[in-house]
Amino acid sequence: EPEVTQTPSHQVTQMGQEVILRCVPISNHLYFYWYRQILGQKVEFLVSFYNNEISEKSEIFDDQFSVERPDGSNFTLKIRSTKLEDSAMYFCASSDLQASGGYTFGSGTRLTVV
Amino acid sequence: QKEVEQNSGPLSVPEGAIASLNCTYSDRGSQSFFWYRQYSGKSPELIMSIYSNGDKEDGRFTAQLNKASQYVSLLIRDSQPSDSATYLCAGGYGNNRLAFGKGNQVVVIP
């Protein structure tokens, strides 16, 4: 069964450093997403991406965050200057046009900012 | 105002019993609802989607949607220890964005 792949599985970074989280969506999917889940809290929407541009973003997705699809397979989330409160699980997801939101999540990247 | 709410605490059910989970939502504009299962430390896994009023059954799972009352429920029949997980209710909004509830933990006791 096709799956969404995320790397690395765990990233530890110092406060103020830049991190790039990587995702390979399912190959025929057209919509891509990033969500995060702070430990013990609910899953929160960050951004959706379609046709090489952001289609929607949340209040969390401020100027410190950016997304990019640098080639035909990868979808990345960059955090420019990490803060302690950015520590969370970051989930990538993708869907096809007919998914209507019922999309597939990757296994996640646990980001720890120290 | 929270878009999707799950207010029940942890639910313990004996093996073989029915687990019942509920979720309410605030925005009548949402047309699609989902139940995800999340094991500890893992990513959410889609188990049910429902778009119209009424019941939808898939194996041991039944999702119910009542748009007039703005609630979604999930029944798990013949609960198994492997069903022990956190169940997340989500509503679809905007450009395929999902709003999640905080989840309900289910513990199936052998």
Side-chain angles (χ1 to χ4, degrees), chain B residues 19-56:
Chain B
S20 177
L21 303 170
N22 295 307
C23 162
T24 58
Y25 61 94
S26 61
D27 184 353
R28 290 184 184 273
S30 179
Q31 298 297 316
S32 53
F33 299 91
F34 308 89
W35 284 98
Y36 283 82
R37 178 175 61 201
Q38 187 176 32
Y39 293 112
S40 181
K42 302 296 185 182
S43 60
E45 174 193 6
L46 179 66
I47 54 172
M48 290 289 286
S49 58
I50 188 164
Y51 306 100
S52 2
N53 275 328
D55 295 359
K56 179 181 177 183

Side-chain angles (χ1 to χ4, degrees), chain A residues 79-97:
Chain A
I79 309 174
R80 266 180 267 283
S81 177
T82 50
K83 308 180 184 70
L84 295 176
E85 55 265 36
D86 294 327
S87 295
M89 281 288 285
Y90 287 80
F91 295 112
C92 175
S94 69
S95 67
D96 60 21
L97 277 177

